[in-house]
């Protein structure tokens, strides 16, 4: 059984905030890959993107440590607080943009 983290219980069945990074869409920025906050559905860009808005979202919301990839076909989770990557057996497929 793969290791998960204790924050998994706080993950919700979230609705994505949109098809792109919230802050980049607002500011006209560009992103490389997208991540989704599993506490509130905030879609933000990855650390390869200039804005790093997924990480910024966690800095602004310390109680939102869990994200999933928002990329099609990617099922991994990441916990910022534990710096732990994992997959959840039996979890529904990650929400993703098209
Ligand atoms: Zn955790
Ligand atoms: Zn962004
Ligand atoms: Zn959030």
């Amino acid at each position: 059984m793969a290791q998960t983290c204790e924050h998994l219980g706080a993950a919700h069945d979230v609705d994505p905030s949109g098809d792109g990074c919230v802050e980049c869409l607002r500011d006209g920025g560009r992103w490389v890959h997208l991540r989704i906050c599993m506490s509130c559905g905030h879609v933000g860009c990855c650390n390869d993107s200039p804005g790093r808005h997924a990480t910024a979202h966690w800095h602004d919301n310390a109680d939102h440590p869990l994200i999933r990839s928002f990329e099609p076909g990617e099922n991994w989770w990441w916990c910022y607080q534990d710096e732990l990557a994992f997959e959840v057996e039996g979890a529904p497929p990650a929400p993703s943009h098209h």
Side-chain angles (χ1 to χ4, degrees), residues 19-98:
D19 281 338
C21 170
V22 173
E23 286 81 7
C24 286
L25 286 174
R26 186 193 61 200
D27 301 338
R30 289 164 170 266
W31 59 80
V32 179
H33 295 118
L34 295 172
R35 311 296 180 228
I36 181 168
C37 172
M38 294 309 289
S39 295
C40 71
H42 171 275
V43 174
C45 53
C46 70
N47 283 353
D48 293 329
S49 309
R52 300 184 179 186
H53 290 123
T55 299
H57 176 71
W58 173 61
H59 286 157
D60 289 344
N61 301 273
D63 54 339
H64 294 188
L66 264 188
I67 59 165
R68 291 185 77 176
S69 174
F70 197 53
E71 296 299 321
E74 293 189 359
N75 286 316
W76 52 264
W77 299 60
W78 171 256
C79 179
Y80 284 112
Q81 194 164 319
D82 297 316
E83 298 188 331
L84 180 70
F86 57 92
E87 290 194 18
V88 178
E89 220 172 310
S96 66
H97 64 93
H98 305 291

